């Protein structure tokens, strides 16, 4: 069947389903039944995601989702709905995310500075001498993503700004760069004991008779989605293989079309007639890393007597990251002016340029956060939590796999992994006794599912910032990434079924073999197809 016809049929079916869901909600309200705490609490984010995938346009899709959520929350009362959208949605989203907005803007300015200084071009020239292949560029991007494990937001933007010149030189498309960034952001942070994610998980460990960080570390070997994503990225890079929509973008990249976002900061144009060196890139980034870590532990109370681990457990990334980034920005401006790679006037011109580059990410993040806020008012999280608890009565050995699926669905629909494991971890603790081997596997399944759903979701802040870091179209990043993420998700689900039955780490070995074997078979089939 013609691919265009298949796409048309899929769009028509989805459109009918969406219209049917909205119509059903109107009927329920007309009959006097409430929508909150039911499946309809998840309909607005589902509609927003479906529209984004159908139309390839994020802003209007998210806005429609926000409006629909406001209407659901107020039984289609127009005045009350508008009040909810503005106050509980947009204004609350801006105020709650102000710290991350500041961090985004500062990093945008930071990227503009290093580009204008010529240090990005110098790094590109250095990489040309030392990184000779496309595989090498992909693996270098992956390694840098692994090394920056402190926080996923910081990871997304830093890896993107450093590696864009390198991947561009080797004709790697921006959607492929965005996938590598996204795959080494949340999945890496979720298996790094010293990270903001470890701190968040640790805060939910009460009642487990073990420390929060101890619970997190024990869960790492069973966090199949995160671990298998790492294996998947390495195998995909080494095999130099792509499939799905990504294959089309990579083919275009070989012809010179890298699918760069319109209005993105040009690394080459910003670097002409400058004397920047590689060191002028490395030093500011090292300072940025150090100051961000210091900012995180400072906010967590490290300098007030708390231990390093406790400081990470009590920190607030929305405050600590802007704290560190601002100091690093001031240092970078002074350093580059002192080095005479930039004049004061040119440094100040980078401020609006960096801000403008981050406007798309800020706008999408505002709308996505608004949608999350109103979905919470509708009780979507409570509805999913009730479903999870009702599943606990049958097939205990299958529960890790079921928990993984539920966490995937909740994180995908709400765009938040932290909120997902915040809801589900207490349920897992209540279902499994701490002495049971399934306890750790269940906790891991919850964390892995949260990362997986977050990784796939168009309204996830990490997905949004991966697009911003790679400076590519957000929907193009989502549509090219989903087939890869779903491949690992299916393998992870099978591995959790096996883990529930055998309850030991041989399940991880089986998962790794399944991942590599799946890619190997897919590549063989692809090679045979194109050989004909």
């Amino acid at each position: 069947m013609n691919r265009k016809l298949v796409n048309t049929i899929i769009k028509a079916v989805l459109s009918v389903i969406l219209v049917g869901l909205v119509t059903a909600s109107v009927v329920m309200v007309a009959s006097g039944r409430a929508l909150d705490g039911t499946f309809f609490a998840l309909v607005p984010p589902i509609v927003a995601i479906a529209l984004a995938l159908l139309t390839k346009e994020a802003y209007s899709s998210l806005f429609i989702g926000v409006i629909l959520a406001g209407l659901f929350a107020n039984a289609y009362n127009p005045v009350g709905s508008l009040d909810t959208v503005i106050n509980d949605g947009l204004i609350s989203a801006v105020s709650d995310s102000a710290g991350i907005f500041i961090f985004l803007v500062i990093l945008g300015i930071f990227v503009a500075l290093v580009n204008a200084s010529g240090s990005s071009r110098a790094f590109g020239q250095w990489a040309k001498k030392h990184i000779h292949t496309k595989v090498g560029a992909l693996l270098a991007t992956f390694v840098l993503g692994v090394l920056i494990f402190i926080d996923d937001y910081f990871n997304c933007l830093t890896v993107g700004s450093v590696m864009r010149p390198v991947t561009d030189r080797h004709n790697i498309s921006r959607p492929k760069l965005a996938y590598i960034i996204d795959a080494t952001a949340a999945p890496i942070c979720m298996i790094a004991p010293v990270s903001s994610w470890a701190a968040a998980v640790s805060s939910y460990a009460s009642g487990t008779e073990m420390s929060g960080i101890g619970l997190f570390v024990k869960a790492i070997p069973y966090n199949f989605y995160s671990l298998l994503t790492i294996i998947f990225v390495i195998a995909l890079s080494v095999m130099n293989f792509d499939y799905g929509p990504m294959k089309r973008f990579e083919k275009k990249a070989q012809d010179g079309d890298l699918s760069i976002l319109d209005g993105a900061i040009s690394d080459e144009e910003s670097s002409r007639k400058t004397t920047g060196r590689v060191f002028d890139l490395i030093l500011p980034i090292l300072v940025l890393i150090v100051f961000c870590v210091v900012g995180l532990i400072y906010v967590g109370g490290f300098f007030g007597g708390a231990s390093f681990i406790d400081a990470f457990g009590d920190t607030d990334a929305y405050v600590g990251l802007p704290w560190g980034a601002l100091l690093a920005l001031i240092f970078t401006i002074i350093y580059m002016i002192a080095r005479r790679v930039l004049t004061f006037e040119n440094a100040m011109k980078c401020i609006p340029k960096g801000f403008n580059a981050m406007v798309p990410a800020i706008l999408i993040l505002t709308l996505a956060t608004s949608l999350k806020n109103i979905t919470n008012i509708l009780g979507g999280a409570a509805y999913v939590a009730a479903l999870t608890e009702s599943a606990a009565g049958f097939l205990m050995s299958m529960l890790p796999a079921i928990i993984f699926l539920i966490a995937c669905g909740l994180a995908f629909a709400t765009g938040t992994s932290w909120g997902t494991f915040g809801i589900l971890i207490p349920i897992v603790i209540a279902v499994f006794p701490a002495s049971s081997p399934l306890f750790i596997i269940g906790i891991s399944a919850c964390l892995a599912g949260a990362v997986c759903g977050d990784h796939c979701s168009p309204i996830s802040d990490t997905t949004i910032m991966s697009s911003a870091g790679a400076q590519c179209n957000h929907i193009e990043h989502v549509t090219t990434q989903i087939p890869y993420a779903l491949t690992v998700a299916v393998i992870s689900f099978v591995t959790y079924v096996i883990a529930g039955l055998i309850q030991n780490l041989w399940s991880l070995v089986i998962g790794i073999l399944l991942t590599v074997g799946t890619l190997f078979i897919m590549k063989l089939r692809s090679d045979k197809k194109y050989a004909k």
Side-chain angles (χ1 to χ4, degrees):
M1 188 180 291
N2 185 286
R3 178 178 292 182
K4 188 174 181 181
L5 177 60
V6 172
N7 289 336
T8 302
I9 293 172
I10 291 172
K11 289 179 179 180
V13 170
L14 284 175
S15 299
V16 170
I17 292 172
L18 294 180
V19 171
L21 287 172
V22 174
T23 303
S25 70
V26 173
V27 171
M28 280 191 67
V29 170
S31 63
R33 287 179 287 176
L35 298 176
D36 55 302
T38 68
F39 169 75
F40 286 95
L42 299 178
V43 167
I46 291 172
V47 168
I49 291 167
L51 286 175
L53 297 176
L54 285 171
T55 64
K56 312 295 183 187
E57 208 289 309
Y59 306 117
S60 60
S61 302
L62 285 168
F63 184 69
I64 290 169
V66 172
I67 295 296
L68 188 61
L71 290 169
F72 279 19
N74 293 274
Y76 286 95
N77 179 294
V79 177
S81 299
L82 185 61
D83 185 61
T84 297
V85 167
I86 292 174
N87 291 310
D88 299 317
L90 297 173
I91 293 176
S92 178
V94 172
S95 60
D96 292 345
S97 304
I100 279 307
F101 291 164
I102 293 169
F103 181 62
L104 281 168
V105 170
I106 292 174
L107 281 186
I109 298 168
F110 191 90
V111 170
L113 283 169
V114 296
N115 285 339
S117 71
S119 54
S120 290
R121 186 180 63 175
F123 180 77
Q125 292 171 342
W126 175 88
K128 184 178 180 180
K129 296 178 182 177
H130 296 84
I131 301 175
H132 303 290
T133 65
K134 178 180 178 180
V135 172
L138 289 170
L139 291 177
T141 306
F142 167 79
V143 169
L144 183 60
V146 171
L147 292 176
I148 303 178
F149 54 80
I150 296 295
D151 185 79
D152 55 327
Y153 296 165
F154 181 44
N155 179 303
C156 291
L157 297 171
T158 304
V159 175
S161 64
V162 172
M163 295 308 298
R164 278 197 308 267
V166 181
T167 56
D168 286 355
R169 192 175 293 276
H170 289 279
N171 287 344
I172 296 169
S173 68
R174 290 297 178 85
K176 183 65 174 287
L177 173 61
Y179 169 69
I180 301 293
I181 292 171
D182 214 346
T184 55
I188 294 297
C189 292
M190 187 52 92
I191 58 173
V194 181
S195 70
S196 56
W197 286 61
V201 174
S202 299
S203 65
Y204 298 106
S206 57
T208 61
E209 301 178 358
M210 65 179 74
S211 69
I213 198 66
L215 176 64
F216 183 86
V217 170
K218 286 185 177 182
I220 290 173
Y222 291 101
N223 196 319
F224 297 135
Y225 183 80
S226 296
L227 295 170
L228 296 183
T229 294
I230 294 170
I231 301 298
F232 186 86
V233 171
I234 295 172
L236 201 71
S237 301
V238 172
M239 291 180 184
N240 195 18
F241 171 60
D242 290 291
Y243 60 93
M246 188 74 80
K247 190 177 186 70
R248 177 167 52 86
F249 280 93
E250 283 298 282
K251 189 177 184 303
K252 287 168 57 181
Q254 296 309 306
D255 298 329
D257 180 1
L258 300 178
S259 302
I260 299 173
L261 183 69
D262 292 340
I265 298 172
S266 170
D267 299 320
E268 291 295 329
E269 291 178 5
S270 301
S271 304
R272 291 174 182 168
K273 298 180 182 179
T274 52
T275 58
R277 301 175 301 177
V278 174
F279 185 74
D280 298 327
L281 175 67
I282 293 174
L283 180 62
I285 287 175
L286 288 176
V287 170
L288 180 64
I289 292 171
V290 170
F291 276 131
C292 282
V293 173
V294 171
L296 288 168
I297 62 174
Y298 167 75
V299 172
F302 177 75
F303 298 102
S307 69
F308 187 83
I309 297 297
D310 289 341
F312 255 104
D314 294 332
T315 195
D316 183 351
Y318 281 38
V319 178
L321 290 176
W323 193 98
L326 182 59
L327 291 178
L329 178 63
I330 294 170
F331 167 86
T332 301
I333 292 173
I334 295 172
Y335 169 78
M336 289 185 172
I337 293 173
R339 268 267 297 128
R340 297 184 179 178
V341 294
L342 280 180
T343 63
F344 178 79
E345 181 182 1
N346 287 335
M348 293 303 102
K349 286 180 180 178
C350 291
I351 293 176
K353 186 181 293 185
F355 178 85
N356 289 339
M358 289 301 168
V359 167
I362 290 172
L363 182 55
I364 292 175
L365 195 56
T366 299
L367 292 171
T369 305
S370 300
L371 185 55
K372 293 176 197 175
N373 291 345
I374 304 177
T375 301
N376 287 336
I377 293 173
L378 280 167
Y383 170 73
V384 174
L387 286 181
T388 308
E389 288 181 309
S390 65
F394 68 97
L395 295 178
M396 289 292 284
S397 61
M398 286 291 292
L399 264 184
I402 294 170
I403 290 168
F404 174 75
L405 287 182
I406 292 172
C408 284
L410 180 57
F412 182 80
T414 61
T416 170
S417 47
W418 285 27
T420 298
F421 59 66
I423 293 163
L424 296 182
I425 285 179
I427 295 172
V428 175
I429 291 172
V431 169
F432 297 110
S435 58
S436 170
L438 286 174
F439 172 69
I440 294 296
I441 299 173
I443 292 288
S444 299
C446 171
L447 301 180
V451 172
C452 177
D454 181 88
H455 198 186
C456 297
S457 178
I459 60 175
S460 158
D461 43 12
T462 310
T463 307
I464 292 164
M465 279 186 279
S466 296
S467 305
Q471 292 190 352
C472 75
N473 180 278
H474 179 61
I475 300 302
E476 288 178 356
H477 167 46
V478 172
T479 54
T480 53
Q481 173 170 269
I482 282 180
Y484 291 177
L486 286 181
T487 301
V488 182
V490 170
I491 296 170
S492 298
F493 174 77
V494 173
T495 310
Y496 276 115
V497 172
I498 296 169
L501 295 172
I502 67 176
Q503 300 178 15
N504 60 50
L505 282 175
W506 279 107
S507 52
L508 176 59
V509 177
I510 295 170
I512 293 172
L513 293 175
L514 285 173
T515 302
V516 176
T518 299
L519 275 177
F520 186 72
I521 292 170
M522 291 176 70
K523 188 174 191 304
L524 281 179
R525 291 184 63 183
S526 177
D527 290 345
K528 286 182 181 179
K529 178 181 176 182
Y530 284 96
K532 294 178 182 178

